[in-house]
Amino acid sequence: MAKKSKKQQAGGTPATVALTAAGVEFTVHSYDHDPAHPSYGEEAAEAMGVSPDRVFKTLVADVDGTLTVAVVPVAGQLDLKALAAATGGKRATMADPTLAERTTGYVRGGISPLGQRKKLPTVLDDSATSHPTICVSAGRRGLEVELSPETLQKLTGAVLAPVGRPA
């Protein structure tokens, strides 16, 4: 379990502060972010030497007027119809990036499903449960947090559903 002093917590991201406060096991992975890389998630997988099916991206969508977080493998894409169905909605579209940043408190490419400014409904792709641990953004580009899918689901209140599809 990552142990941090109060001084280190103050310098962490809202995601790592939330994890520390929850007292759960997690590992922080840091790498040098390359702004020229075409995919934040694939860059993270490559930099950490982790299979892309264990690295999950956090996407913000609009489901019938409600901002909703989808956490899907970086190796695939978000299935918007499946996301709408998983939340009991009719239609989902990708949220405006500026609105997503303002609502979550994170920048695009660094949006974490944890420690968001406003807690949003969250759906975690059910493929996450096939791994003992997965990696998600820790709240900024070049910083990932590794934790169990069960811990992520519990802390975010996520619904498990098949919302990812192959790229």
Side-chain angles (χ1 to χ4, degrees):
M1 179 156 88
K3 300 262 186 197
K4 294 184 173 28
S5 69
K6 289 186 191 278
K7 186 175 183 181
Q8 287 173 310
Q9 284 181 29
T13 66
T16 59
V17 170
L19 287 165
T20 301
V24 297
E25 289 189 35
F26 68 98
T27 304
V28 174
H29 298 276
S30 180
Y31 60 93
D32 291 327
H33 166 63
D34 175 5
H37 201 287
S39 167
Y40 298 119
E42 289 175 12
E43 176 191 26
E46 291 167 11
M48 294 185 304
V50 174
S51 172
D53 65 338
R54 280 192 49 228
V55 179
F56 283 64
K57 55 189 169 186
T58 306
L59 302 171
V60 181
D62 180 319
V63 180
D64 297 336
T66 300
L67 288 183
T68 304
V69 171
V71 184
V72 298
V74 301
Q77 297 177 337
L78 172 60
D79 182 333
L80 290 166
K81 286 183 181 183
L83 177 63
T87 59
K90 293 181 180 179
R91 185 169 184 266
T93 58
M94 292 306 298
D96 173 72
T98 303
L99 181 59
E101 290 178 342
R102 191 170 48 242
T103 304
T104 63
Y106 294 117
V107 297
R108 195 166 40 135
I111 294 178
S112 177
L114 300 155
Q116 296 178 356
R117 183 177 290 152
K118 179 180 178 188
K119 187 172 175 138
L120 299 173
T122 302
V123 179
L124 174 61
D125 185 68
D126 62 359
S127 69
T129 61
S130 65
H131 306 285
T133 62
I134 60 172
C135 298
V136 296
S137 176
R140 73 170 182 259
R141 296 172 191 153
L143 194 67
E144 294 280 313
V145 64
E146 182 178 351
L147 71 170
S148 75
E150 295 79 15
T151 297
L152 180 63
Q153 182 182 11
K154 179 183 173 192
L155 294 179
T156 60
V159 171
L160 274 178
V163 293
R165 65 174 184 222

